[in-house]
Amino acid sequence: KAGVTQTPRYLIKTRGQQVTLSCSPISGHRSVSWYQQTPGQGLQFLFEYFSETQRNKGNFPGRFSGRQFSNSRSEMNVSTLELGDSALYLCASSFWAGGSGSGNTIYFGEGSWLTVV
Amino acid sequence: AQSVAQPEDQVNVAEGNPLTVKCTYSVSGNPYLFWYVQYPNRGLQFLLKYITGDNLVKGSYGFEAEFNKSQTSFHLKKPSALVSDSALYFCAVREDTDKLIFGTGTRLQVFP
């Protein structure tokens, strides 16, 4: 079974540009979440999607957005890039069977390394 | 709000010796706790989780974790460390649905 797949793995963008990152969850997983990892701030939750609906959002500016498609694949977009957006962006997925779902294991992809120059 | 703390930035241990990576938590309600490992330039790999039940949780690659409710701790352990265990380890607590709150990470260095 394939794991969480993220593309692209590495990219370099210029300040002011925008970027779109893609995530394909594990087959059968309908819950997808995104995290940002930086040396200074550590791992921070961005947002979470389930059945094409955002059901949770972290404390990030509106420049950060995401969406989920009917096949559970997800994209996140960062507009008007700033130097501080340079980070590893991690996508994660889990099998959500309803209820609290607290027992679900959350699996992460290899991440997309974004460098803003 | 839920939180976890990893009090050690780095843990050094000799190969073959037991290792412990510490994690304490603060939650309202039942804690749902996770350990992940990150190798250089890689994503996070799931090691184990505590949901309910036995306080000793066994996970991947010979790792286990001990849940202690009275001390609000969830320390990661391995009886015999390998050089290949050298990596960054993260403790996390589930706050809501699939939202994880991570600790700051502990770098484990295993010396031959």
Side-chain angles (χ1 to χ4, degrees), chain A residues 9 31 33 35 37 43 45 48 55-56 88 90 94 96 101-110 113, chain B residues 32 34 36 38 40-46 49 51 88 90 94-104:
Chain A
R9 288 294 317 280
S31 177
S33 50
Y35 293 79
Q37 184 178 19
L43 281 155
F45 172 79
E48 176 194 348
R55 62 179 180 183
N56 218 334
L88 175 64
L90 292 163
S94 82
W96 192 273
S102 300
N104 296 336
T105 297
I106 301 170
Y107 296 95
F108 284 80
E110 292 292 335
W113 287 93
Chain B
Y32 299 103
F34 299 77
Y36 288 88
Q38 186 175 38
N41 301 317
R42 303 294 297 275
L44 300 178
Q45 291 184 29
F46 170 75
K49 65 182 178 184
I51 305 301
L88 190 56
F90 290 96
R94 179 181 245 128
E95 180 172 275
D96 184 21
T97 56
D98 273 357
K99 179 181 178 180
L100 292 175
I101 305 299
F102 285 91
T104 50

Side-chain angles (χ1 to χ4, degrees), chain A residues 17-92:
Chain A
Q17 288 186 315
Q18 73 165 9
V19 66
T20 298
L21 307 177
S22 181
C23 173
S24 292
I26 292 171
S27 178
H29 287 191
R30 294 167 61 193
S31 177
V32 174
S33 50
W34 290 87
Y35 293 79
Q36 181 197 63
Q37 184 178 19
T38 60
Q41 299 299 317
L43 281 155
Q44 293 188 287
F45 172 79
L46 279 158
F47 28 64
E48 176 194 348
Y49 289 87
F50 180 75
S51 291
E52 304 178 65
T53 301
Q54 187 182 86
R55 62 179 180 183
N56 218 334
K57 188 177 189 304
N59 189 25
F60 278 82
R63 299 185 297 108
F64 291 80
S65 63
R67 59 178 175 169
Q68 186 181 32
F69 303 95
S70 59
N71 61 359
S72 295
R73 192 177 67 84
S74 178
E75 289 181 348
M76 67 162 284
N77 183 275
V78 188
S79 62
T80 320
L81 284 165
E82 301 177 358
L83 295 178
D85 296 333
S86 296
L88 175 64
Y89 290 88
L90 292 163
C91 175

Side-chain angles (χ1 to χ4, degrees), chain B residues 4-40:
Chain B
V4 292
Q6 294 181 246
E8 302 157 317
D9 290 335
Q10 180 152 332
V11 169
N12 299 318
V13 64
E15 188 174 33
N17 283 0
L19 70 87
T20 298
V21 183
K22 295 179 180 178
C23 173
T24 58
Y25 64 88
S26 174
V27 304
S28 54
N30 295 322
Y32 299 103
L33 299 160
F34 299 77
W35 276 102
Y36 288 88
V37 60
Q38 186 175 38
Y39 294 97

